[in-house]
Amino acid sequence: MKSEIIAVGSEMLTPWRQDTNSLYLTEKLNEIGVTVAFKTIVGDRRKDLVGAIRTALGRTDIIAIMGGLGPTEDDLTREAVGEALTINLRRDGAQVAALHARAATWRIPMPENNLKQADVLEGAIVLPNPNGSAPGQWIDTTYSGYRKLLMLVPGPPNECRPLFDAEVMPRLRAVVPPRHIAKRILKAAMIGESSADKLVAPIYTTYKDVETTILAHAGDIQLTLLCSKANMAAADQRVDELAGRLEEALEDWLYSSNGETLEQIVLDYLGLRQATLATAESCTGGLVAERITAVSGSSRSFLGGAVVYSNEMKTTFAGVPPELIERYGAVSAEVAKALAEGIRHRTGATLGLGVTGIAGPTGGTDAKPVGLVYIAVSDAQKTEVTERNFRGARDRIREWTAQQALDLVRRRLM
């Protein structure tokens, strides 16, 4: 069965508020084999909301509508659903009493407009909301000859999620045909999205029963595989089969078959080899160290790092000779090599990582343009330096550089 999630609220159409509930609801719906086909955000305009509900009724079986159940003039979800389904609202006596009791508990007078929250759609089942004043509603109806399930849930996350778990999920499990969704996430580093798709598209397009999506971000490719079957064993078998073939195609680009982050994989490799890592970062300003230390338990393998932004700090903390910087420049293969070797010696780490570059937007020259970076990885046997040229704004260059640095460490440990 297909579903649609409609988030109601003009505030979510601004840069300052995001719809996070839909991620939670999607996870819960997937647990019972329901696919989320559409997500819609609608402002607090009755005409627009009615249109969105009617569109959803025409293309999906299950519609979860979040928000717009409060007492104010712009809380219009109940009215919009009534108009879309051509059903009336009635004021429910039990809900009126509950609102008065809630106000008494708080020892505050109840404004008259609060009674709006006691309006219930004809045929709807009221869903208790112990964390707020606006109850949810469950509607099992027919639209254009097809069965439709609608659930109205409050918008605040501390109300929406507990209510959905306690009241909506049991009802859905009782009526939704048993389906199971298997999911796998594969990740590859430092391969372009088009290059990755060229390798894997001839494979995943032959699996018509597995939905495959590709997401690219800052040197990271994520392939998500979803398969819905009547039993989990069958779904898992199809996803595992496709994942195995994709892993072979991606070869060394692939770093994770179960959704782990690149920094987690680096730490796993370090742990397996009983190795340690230290970093000396210039243009990334500690971004590599930040990503590593965001992983719980990283102190077992990560000794620490230095942000060596100035030339003086490169010498003080990583032992880079001033004459080397003078001769080759702070952004050079030679200095990157010295940073990696210096921080390794200073800390006693198994591996040293040195990063230097020009993140921009200023500081570039014809010889050394913005985006030029050098990344060195050093161990007791050898030091290797990689030169890359990344394009884009400052943040993008720093993100790509950190990703490349972590991937080079991963490859050294493989």
Side-chain angles (χ1 to χ4, degrees):
M1 299 180 76
K2 293 195 302 183
S3 67
E4 180 162 350
I5 298 172
I6 300 176
V8 183
S10 295
E11 69 278 4
M12 288 179 290
L13 297 172
T14 71
W16 305 290
R17 289 287 295 275
Q18 289 183 319
D19 163 35
T20 56
N21 286 334
S22 66
L23 300 177
Y24 185 84
L25 267 59
T26 298
E27 181 181 2
K28 291 298 179 179
L29 290 166
N30 286 173
E31 286 179 4
I32 57 173
V34 174
T35 300
V36 177
F38 304 95
K39 292 183 181 181
T40 304
I41 297 177
V42 188
D44 299 311
R45 292 173 295 275
R46 178 164 173 168
K47 180 180 178 181
D48 294 341
L49 185 50
V50 171
I53 294 167
R54 284 176 175 163
T55 298
L57 287 165
R59 63 189 182 186
T60 54
D61 311 294
I62 299 170
I63 305 163
I65 308 172
M66 305 177 301
L69 298 179
T72 63
E73 287 294 323
D74 60 354
D75 288 313
L76 300 168
T77 296
R78 290 172 290 258
E79 293 82 356
V81 173
E83 183 176 340
L85 292 174
T86 321
I87 57 178
N88 296 319
L89 285 163
R90 61 175 177 84
R91 185 144 293 179
D92 185 86
Q95 293 306 309
V96 171
L99 288 168
H100 280 292
R102 180 181 174 84
T105 301
W106 286 83
R107 296 183 178 179
I108 57 173
M110 188 182 74
E112 188 68 22
N113 62 349
N114 262 11
L115 292 175
K116 179 180 180 180
Q117 296 172 108
D119 290 343
V120 177
L121 290 152
E122 288 182 353
I125 296 173
V126 175
L127 307 178
N129 177 12
N131 300 302
S133 58
Q137 299 188 39
W138 167 276
I139 302 171
D140 187 341
T141 188
T142 300
Y143 185 83
S144 297
Y146 295 93
R147 186 183 186 186
K148 304 292 179 178
L149 302 175
L150 291 87
M151 52 232 62
L152 285 58
V153 294
N158 67 311
E159 299 179 35
C160 171
R161 301 175 190 188
L163 188 148
F164 197 83
D165 287 346
E167 301 294 338
V168 175
M169 288 297 291
R171 289 176 169 83
L172 285 174
R173 287 193 177 97
V175 297
V176 170
R179 301 287 290 179
H180 299 272
I181 297 179
K183 179 180 180 180
R184 285 282 296 277
I185 296 177
L186 310 181
K187 292 186 177 182
M190 301 311 296
I191 179 173
E193 184 177 15
S194 58
S195 297
D197 196 54
K198 184 178 180 180
L199 290 174
V200 300
I203 301 171
Y204 73 71
T205 52
T206 65
Y207 286 72
K208 304 300 184 184
D209 56 343
V210 181
E211 180 183 345
T212 303
T213 57
I214 299 181
L215 179 65
H217 173 72
D220 198 70
I221 297 292
Q222 176 176 305
L223 291 93
T224 302
L225 315 181
L226 294 173
C227 182
S228 175
K229 295 289 183 182
N231 63 80
M232 185 56 79
D236 279 333
Q237 187 275 327
R238 287 296 284 169
V239 166
D240 289 344
E241 180 184 325
L242 175 55
R245 294 186 62 187
L246 297 179
E247 289 165 5
E248 291 180 5
L250 288 167
E251 298 181 324
D252 289 349
W253 302 109
L254 184 86
Y255 69 81
S256 170
S257 297
N258 291 293
E260 300 97 337
T261 63
L262 181 54
E263 48 268 30
Q264 178 65 67
I265 294 298
V266 167
L267 286 166
D268 288 347
Y269 274 132
L270 288 167
L272 285 171
R273 286 153 181 71
Q274 295 185 319
T276 54
L277 172 69
T279 60
E281 301 179 61
S282 182
C283 67
T284 45
L287 186 55
V288 175
E290 192 280 329
R291 286 179 58 174
I292 292 173
T293 55
V295 180
S296 177
S298 56
S299 60
R300 289 191 292 268
S301 301
F302 183 64
L303 299 186
V307 177
V308 289
Y309 215 63
S310 70
N311 291 343
E312 291 77 15
M313 293 301 100
K314 290 176 175 63
T315 300
T316 301
F317 291 108
V320 179
E323 56 272 19
L324 194 71
I325 299 174
E326 180 68 26
R327 181 176 180 182
Y328 296 105
V331 179
S332 61
E334 291 78 8
V335 168
K337 180 175 182 290
L339 286 171
E341 292 174 347
I343 201 68
R344 182 172 65 83
H345 287 301
R346 288 288 176 92
T347 61
T350 311
L351 288 177
L353 173 69
V355 181
T356 184
I358 305 169
T362 61
T365 66
D366 289 340
K368 295 183 178 181
V370 169
L372 174 67
V373 298
Y374 293 95
I375 304 166
V377 181
S378 174
D379 60 22
Q381 285 72 47
K382 62 181 177 179
T383 301
E384 293 179 325
V385 182
T386 298
E387 176 185 324
R388 294 297 304 269
N389 284 271
F390 297 121
R391 297 179 179 179
R394 182 180 181 83
D395 287 348
R396 183 180 188 275
I397 290 169
R398 283 158 48 88
E399 283 186 298
W400 276 81
T401 303
Q403 181 79 354
Q404 178 71 87
L406 285 166
D407 192 52
L408 289 171
V409 174
R410 173 187 73 91
R411 289 175 177 272
R412 176 64 68 90
L413 292 165
M414 287 175 61

